[in-house]
Amino acid sequence: MAETTKHILVPEKWVQSYSDYLYNYTITRVNNHDLAKDLVQETFFAGLKSMKNFQGKASERTWLISILKRKIIDHYRKINSKKGKAEVRMNFYNDGEREGEWIEERVPNSWSSDTDKDIENKELKSTLEKCIDNLPEKYSMVFRMKTIQGFETEEICKELDITPSNLWVIIHRARTQLRKCMEDNWFNN
Amino acid sequence: MSKFFISCDEATTICDKNQYGEATLFDKVKLSFHFMRCKVCKVYTKHNNLLSKIFGNYAKDHCQKQHCLSNDDKEKIEIEVSKKLK
């Protein structure tokens, strides 16, 4: 019978060995330093609390990451339940005869400088950064994971415990708001 | 035939999926049909394509960064963790 390695936990070395790895994992998902730092610390605390449940099957790092993933889902649920706050106004009639059609004042304007020669421009990047930061957190988190970090749809859905149709609604709203923000602050400025 | 006709709301959602290469062939056919009778969504798509380029360019700069905690932050966490360890 093949002998499998039994992993052990050495909590005295956690911060030194894993804090950068866990922090990097978290910051690419939540994009906020203080929050990421807190989630890493909470992960260590939760790890200490449930040390007795560690069976040694997974490595210490994998085990800590599985705790961190739970923390990230909890955080996402928390921001997702804050109803009404900075909700994106929709562009389409959602009932009546004109359901699904553009609401007149939301129709995209043509852009005065819709050239793509300028996409390396530093100011353009900082305008975009500001626009992303202005998104409601639940939208910016999914948008960043999908668009900036390039995660697969399936992976995001699994990590945040949402359905693909949920994800596309969020992406659509995030992009709609970003389009409007870029229109106001860059293209027609 | 009605399956081919979609609302602007659906058209823009398909357009968004298409930015990530995740629209199906049928989605794309429906979108092309929609463009024949809707100039607004055509403008939306043009903007969306340009935005995708801008997002992609921004992502290139961002993804290569390896993020680390400062020594100061690590020390603070270390102190908190060792308090719990006692």
Side-chain angles (χ1 to χ4, degrees), chain A residues 22-165:
Chain A
L22 297 183
Y23 177 75
N24 195 53
Y25 184 95
T26 317
I27 198 79
T28 54
R29 285 151 176 86
V30 302
N31 198 57
N32 174 310
H33 168 72
D34 289 334
L35 175 64
K37 197 179 69 182
D38 288 350
L39 289 172
V40 170
Q41 182 167 303
E42 280 174 31
T43 300
F44 290 139
F45 290 171
L48 290 175
K49 241 182 171 175
S50 52
M51 273 176 74
K52 56 181 182 305
N53 302 327
F54 181 70
Q55 296 175 330
K57 287 179 188 163
S59 72
E60 207 176 22
R61 193 175 82 168
T62 307
W63 184 70
L64 287 168
I65 280 286
S66 68
I67 297 172
L68 176 59
K69 282 183 177 173
R70 225 34 258 174
K71 296 274 165 207
I72 293 174
I73 288 188
D74 288 347
H75 171 71
Y76 184 73
R77 290 208 173 129
K78 211 162 81 190
I79 55 175
N80 205 11
S81 65
K82 281 181 192 159
K83 291 231 167 82
K85 193 184 154 200
E87 195 64 51
V88 175
R89 291 200 292 169
M90 284 315 294
N91 292 324
F92 307 99
Y93 291 104
N94 55 16
D95 52 17
E97 248 177 55
R98 304 190 60 188
E99 187 179 352
E101 285 180 30
W102 287 93
I103 295 171
E104 284 78 1
E105 62 268 29
R106 302 252 189 281
V107 165
N109 300 313
S110 60
W111 290 346
S112 52
S113 60
D114 50 359
T115 163
D116 53 8
K117 282 180 209 143
D118 220 18
I119 60 171
E120 291 284 347
N121 188 309
K122 272 197 180 138
E123 277 175 58
L124 170 64
K125 282 180 191 165
S126 81
T127 307
L128 174 63
E129 179 94 51
K130 278 184 205 143
C131 287
I132 299 177
D133 286 343
N134 277 337
L135 288 172
E137 196 184 347
K138 60 180 174 180
Y139 296 155
S140 76
M141 195 169 161
V142 175
F143 176 80
R144 281 179 193 277
M145 283 174 80
K146 182 77 189 143
T147 318
I148 312 299
Q149 304 294 336
F151 286 93
E152 296 294 334
T153 301
E154 202 185 344
E155 200 177 349
I156 302 173
C157 291
K158 209 171 133 197
E159 282 197 17
L160 302 180
D161 198 21
I162 56 175
T163 63
S165 61

Side-chain angles (χ1 to χ4, degrees), chain B residues 1-63:
Chain B
M1 196 61 187
S2 66
K3 270 196 287 186
F4 284 98
F5 290 105
I6 51 174
S7 67
C8 298
D9 196 355
E10 286 169 87
T12 50
T13 301
I14 292 175
C15 173
D16 289 340
K17 280 191 187 176
N18 205 17
Q19 301 301 317
Y20 302 91
E22 293 184 42
T24 63
L25 185 64
F26 185 50
D27 280 342
K28 287 184 214 170
V29 171
K30 286 192 283 189
L31 196 58
S32 313
F33 262 88
H34 187 80
F35 287 159
M36 287 196 266
R37 58 190 182 95
C38 180
K39 286 205 168 69
V40 177
C41 285
K42 223 173 171 178
V43 172
Y44 177 89
T45 302
K46 190 179 156 204
H47 290 174
N48 222 1
N49 292 342
L50 176 57
L51 285 176
S52 283
K53 277 190 196 166
I54 296 170
F55 297 156
N57 208 42
Y58 176 82
K60 253 196 316 200
D61 293 356
H62 261 247
C63 286

